[in-house]
Amino acid sequence: MAEEMKRTSHVVLTSHANQIFKDTPPINWGAKDPKERGPVIATISDKQNRNAIGSHSGSYTVYRALSIASGAFPKDHRPELANTEGTYQVKPNPAWFEEDKIVSIDPFGADVNIHFKDYLDKGFNIKPSIAVTQAHLHIPEVQEAVKAGKLKVDGKVVKEDGSVKCTKIALEPVWYLPGMAKRLKIDEGELRKILFQETGGMFPELVTRPDLKILLPPIGSTTAYVFGNPDDLQNPEIELTCRVHDECNGSDVFGSDICTCRPYLTWGIEDAARTAQRGGVGLIVYFRKEGRALGEVTKFMVYNARKRQEGGDSAKNYFYRTECVAGVQDARFQEFMPDTLNFLGVKKIHNLHSMSNMKYDAIKAAGIEVVNRLSIPEELIPADAQVEIEAKKAAGYFTAGEVKDEKELQNVQGRKLDD
């Protein structure tokens, strides 16, 4: 495959020479200075400057195309970035400058009007892939926790109306293909070929332009919600409560009771806020990976197959029915999930809200220490979701508190574990 890529590269320099421009900024992934690293440019309006495959806001590109086709959207629009700077600037940390540590997002994707002002002044059409703002979350379950006395109103983290103050960080995917391939332990050429084939040839540059190392895929983004001081995420001595959550629209938004997704998410938010109130910091990272990255259509068909099987829904066939319909039990590949944690500078998680060994193993493999793991409390599990829990237990999912260093945890929390 390496030889094939070399041959392809030679072809690019001849048959695709009109796509290569001398003024295209190079990207030196892992460089400390943003000017040396170079901006990621995937805007279609300036083809001569493009140094990435795909386009910004990947999951919305088709909508943008339809809007342009209808005449409602100016094709040559350039964003006015004045006053769009984040309400908080994530401080660079060593993970930003290791080529293999962050490979699925761009550490310099926020505040491009600051990092790459010189390029913008020269007319380069650069768009951000990260944005930061402030918000108040109004969540019924959290407000119920306040009424029940499980969460106190302090006017700082939890407001008088029961809302929770947080910092929101939106991150679009920016894939550094050499690092992605290395993480998956495959050849870069093989990865590029499979991405090209399995997307129906959506991005020919994957095989015609091996000089382009960045792909902005047409998939959903990630959002991080920080409770407390975001600077504290980088301090391993300050207690961090974290929930890494994969999208489940039916449960998260509409409250479907066939799974534990919304209860796990809202309990994570409640505990993250509680941690911030006692001097720690809370973090919820929300990934758009609907239905284990298989989509809602597949998920709903699996629901039907599970309910209609002989003897009714059962833990025994929970994962099996998914594999029958989709061909795989889970397509999320958590290997890239820790990139967001590394971007934020997380070195230690004192309380990880997750039953998933896949998530836990990926976080540990990224060099992040986990002190305590927390499974969802029994009383929060909907009746119709018992099958899911039993299936996960049978599959070896984490089911009880696992504490690496109980004394350390108690010292950091300043409380007993069973409080």
Side-chain angles (χ1 to χ4, degrees):
M1 180 51 63
E3 288 300 315
E4 180 182 333
M5 290 302 298
K6 288 179 182 178
R7 290 195 298 272
T8 304
S9 178
H10 177 70
V11 172
V12 167
L13 295 176
T14 54
S15 63
H16 294 84
N18 63 330
Q19 297 182 31
I20 302 174
F21 301 89
K22 64 179 181 179
D23 294 330
T24 300
I27 294 179
N28 302 300
W29 200 262
K32 290 187 177 182
D33 188 324
K35 293 181 181 178
E36 180 186 352
R37 207 297 302 273
V40 173
I41 305 176
T43 44
I44 303 299
S45 60
D46 286 344
K47 291 184 175 65
Q48 70 273 20
N49 300 144
R50 281 170 58 83
N51 59 13
I53 304 167
S55 181
H56 289 281
S57 301
S59 60
Y60 295 96
T61 52
V62 174
Y63 291 111
R64 186 168 66 236
L66 291 175
S67 184
I68 290 173
S70 71
F73 191 107
K75 191 174 183 179
D76 59 350
H77 172 72
R78 290 171 177 264
E80 170 53 66
L81 298 176
N83 295 321
T84 64
E85 296 88 355
T87 56
Y88 168 80
Q89 281 74 44
V90 179
K91 293 177 173 56
N93 69 83
W96 289 29
F97 316 125
E98 295 181 35
E99 187 178 8
D100 302 327
K101 205 72 171 179
I102 300 175
V103 300
S104 62
I105 54 179
D106 176 11
F108 292 109
D111 301 330
V112 296
N113 49 330
I114 297 175
H115 295 313
F116 305 113
K117 185 179 184 302
D118 290 349
Y119 283 98
L120 288 168
D121 289 345
K122 293 176 183 177
F124 287 79
N125 192 354
I126 305 168
K127 295 182 180 179
S129 60
I130 297 175
V132 186
T133 191
Q134 303 290 320
H136 291 89
L137 306 183
H138 294 262
I139 299 173
E141 290 88 340
V142 173
Q143 293 174 335
E144 287 298 320
V146 172
K147 292 178 183 178
K150 294 188 293 183
L151 192 60
K152 307 296 183 183
V153 172
D154 63 342
K156 184 178 180 182
V157 178
V158 180
K159 312 298 282 188
E160 287 73 13
D161 61 357
S163 64
V164 183
K165 184 180 178 181
C166 72
T167 299
K168 296 198 301 184
I169 306 171
L171 308 101
E172 291 182 357
V174 177
W175 289 3
Y176 177 59
L177 294 172
M180 299 279 285
K182 186 173 181 180
R183 190 85 59 89
L184 291 173
K185 297 181 173 60
I186 63 173
D187 181 79
E188 181 191 342
E190 182 70 11
L191 173 63
R192 297 171 75 105
K193 182 182 76 172
I194 293 173
L195 286 170
F196 170 73
Q197 292 173 338
E198 294 303 317
T199 57
M202 182 180 293
F203 301 114
E205 297 94 337
L206 285 167
V207 293
T208 65
R209 295 289 305 274
D211 57 305
L212 298 179
K213 300 298 184 181
I214 304 293
L215 168 65
L216 278 64
I219 61 174
S221 57
T222 299
T223 311
Y225 297 80
V226 184
F227 307 87
N229 184 355
D231 285 347
D232 292 341
L233 291 169
Q234 301 196 16
N235 188 343
E237 302 304 315
I238 294 178
E239 182 189 8
L240 168 58
T241 292
C242 177
R243 165 72 180 161
V244 284
H245 188 93
D246 291 327
E247 176 186 28
C248 178
N249 186 63
S251 178
D252 297 341
V253 179
F254 293 99
S256 173
D257 64 352
I258 197 172
C259 62
T260 59
C261 296
R262 181 179 174 92
Y264 224 146
L265 176 61
T266 57
W267 178 58
I269 293 172
E270 175 191 332
D271 205 30
R274 190 160 37 240
T275 301
Q277 287 183 323
R278 61 173 177 259
V281 60
L283 173 64
I284 305 292
V285 185
Y286 193 90
F287 297 90
R288 270 67 178 193
K289 297 178 183 177
E290 179 64 60
R292 301 193 200 125
L294 298 169
E296 274 196 319
V297 170
T298 294
K299 183 164 67 171
F300 287 6
M301 290 192 297
V302 171
Y303 287 164
N304 291 341
R306 283 171 47 194
K307 296 290 185 179
R308 289 170 175 161
Q309 64 191 356
E310 185 177 350
D313 199 5
S314 68
K316 178 181 178 181
N317 291 312
Y318 177 83
F319 290 108
Y320 171 70
R321 294 308 300 160
T322 302
E323 190 169 359
C324 287
V325 174
V328 66
Q329 293 183 2
D330 195 322
R332 285 175 291 183
F333 294 101
Q334 301 292 355
E335 286 87 349
F336 305 112
M337 172 267 292
D339 283 14
T340 299
L341 303 177
N342 283 327
F343 167 70
L344 296 170
V346 173
K347 301 178 183 67
K348 180 187 289 187
I349 299 173
H350 298 85
N351 310 292
L352 176 64
H353 284 236
S354 177
M355 292 177 67
S356 171
N357 288 334
M358 290 174 62
K359 292 178 182 177
Y360 172 74
D361 291 342
I363 290 171
K364 294 288 289 182
I368 299 170
E369 183 181 354
V370 176
V371 179
N372 183 36
R373 297 177 68 188
L374 301 169
S375 55
I376 186 171
E378 291 288 336
E379 65 270 17
L380 295 182
I381 301 173
D384 204 30
Q386 289 294 334
V387 169
E388 175 199 51
I389 292 296
E390 292 304 317
K392 289 181 176 180
K393 289 179 180 178
Y397 274 52
F398 170 83
T399 58
E402 175 186 297
V403 181
K404 178 180 179 182
D405 190 333
E406 183 170 323
K407 184 177 180 181
E408 176 192 21
L409 188 65
Q410 290 187 12
N411 286 340
V412 172
Q413 293 181 338
R415 62 187 178 92
K416 292 183 179 179
L417 293 177
D418 58 356
D419 279 355

